[in-house]
């Protein structure tokens, strides 16, 4: 079964610079949740866009056939870490159709806040 | 009246492992809100995808004609409960067009957080 | 200028039963934000769907040409109030194209939570 | 690479009137996050719609080639500031394809709340 699209974008990117509460669940983070419902592994490349310099990437990720992977941008390191407290955006491309949803947990204050939205696709 | 689509996906799935506040309203939970605006009952099947094992399902649900049903993933038990504190994703199929929206209430800290997004459809 | 669609759906509907903080800003509420960017008044009808009874409506609203109107479901009274602490869903139809976004403010606990998503359209 | 669309709308607009926590990160604000993945600068115009008066604008913004810009509505001043504690909506047009996501941080109470959704496009 194939489901989804090969190109996705998340225009809102921001990793809060501090956290409040037990790790790793309550650590402030931003995630791209990838679903690969197909029967082939998905080879995914993420490009990160900034406000004041050229894009960085690709960050390469494999999502196995019939698997989901929730990527924390905080954990991306190659080619370089994604800076905190910095506006960014991302474009996500895959060689098989996938579905992408964007989520952030912000635990900077006493109680955490959450956002989530389906990403843009075309 | 028919409204919606027959195939939907929610790439972000995660049931917080603990809660804070009166049950059942403030219990941490994740929901798929299904709207069947048609004049026929909708027979819905949900498959749950994981990061490290094969998908589980289908979970079978009927949404009556001209009814909405807000399914808490916490309450799904057949063929097996959805584990808490675990990344998952879901694909939702119906035999009549429906509309699907994803919501989570996270009450792990003193004040609850909420997310909601229209699901992906094609 | 015409922008948007004539049919929209919000599968997630729920008005929290209590609030915390100064009224009216911090009163728990659910809203459909309607944008009519056209040069003609939009005549809008909202139908409310429930889990266990027939739909109620239409609730009739006019959004002037080149105006936005943020409808609090809490404030709908004709043909009947929308019950609190009850799952519902809504279908919104307009005679001119509009854009619909769904928002909830939940102030049941010490700090408020918010959700928002673009509604489903076709 | 071109990605996105030239016309976007955000039906929900509201800047909370007060804040709680360190500036500028925790200042209540509303943002349109714009991603221009193309190789040409994007010339963007924002029109603001109100419930009780004619639209205001255009607010003009340039997003460089291969750049993202997270616009805080709070910071728009020309032709006039966007009022706080007031319902509004926005239409965003660009001469090259872009992607638009809507976000609000609400820090009126002790802990912040967040919303985000992909904007409407056609």
């Amino acid at each position: 079964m194939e489901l989804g699209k090969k190109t996705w974008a998340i225009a809102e990117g921001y990793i809060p610079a501090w956290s409040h509460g037990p790790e790793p669940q309550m650590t402030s983070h931003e995630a791209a949740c990838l679903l690969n419902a197909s029967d082939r592994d998905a080879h995914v490349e993420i490009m990160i866009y900034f406000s004041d310099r050229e894009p960085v990437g690709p960050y390469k990720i494999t999502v196995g056939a019939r698997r989901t992977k929730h990527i924390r941008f905080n954990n991306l390191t190659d080619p370089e870490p994604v800076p905190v407290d910095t506006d960014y955006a991302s474009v996500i491309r895959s060689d098989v159709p996938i579905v992408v949803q964007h989520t952030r947990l912000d635990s900077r204050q006493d109680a955490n806040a959450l956002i989530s939205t389906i990403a843009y696709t075309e």
Side-chain angles (χ1 to χ4, degrees), chain A:
Chain A
M1 179 187 80
E2 300 226 324
L3 180 67
K5 303 275 188 177
K6 294 183 178 178
T7 302
W8 294 82
I10 301 169
E12 159 71 294
Y14 179 81
I15 303 172
W18 69 95
S19 299
H20 184 279
E23 294 184 355
Q25 288 97 334
M26 304 312 295
T27 304
S28 287
H29 63 267
E30 190 148 56
C33 300
L34 313 179
L35 168 61
N36 175 15
S38 82
D39 292 320
R40 291 179 292 151
D41 288 358
H43 302 93
V44 177
E45 296 194 346
I46 302 177
M47 292 295 298
I48 305 286
Y49 290 77
F50 296 96
S51 63
D52 55 2
R53 57 175 169 128
E54 288 296 311
V56 172
Y59 296 85
K60 297 187 178 183
I61 292 154
T62 300
V63 185
R66 302 176 301 282
R67 295 292 184 276
T68 186
K69 196 171 258 186
H70 296 197
I71 306 294
R72 287 192 181 199
F73 287 95
N74 315 32
N75 294 341
L76 297 177
T77 56
D78 181 13
E80 62 182 66
V82 180
V84 299
D85 197 19
T86 302
D87 292 340
Y88 67 92
S90 52
V91 173
I92 299 168
R93 294 178 185 282
S94 170
D95 60 351
V96 302
I98 60 174
V99 179
V100 177
Q101 190 170 338
H102 168 235
T103 298
R104 184 191 303 155
L105 185 147
D106 176 350
S107 64
R108 289 175 293 183
Q109 294 187 325
D110 282 358
N112 62 306
L114 287 169
I115 56 175
S116 189
T117 182
I118 188 74
Y120 171 78
T121 191
E122 65 180 21

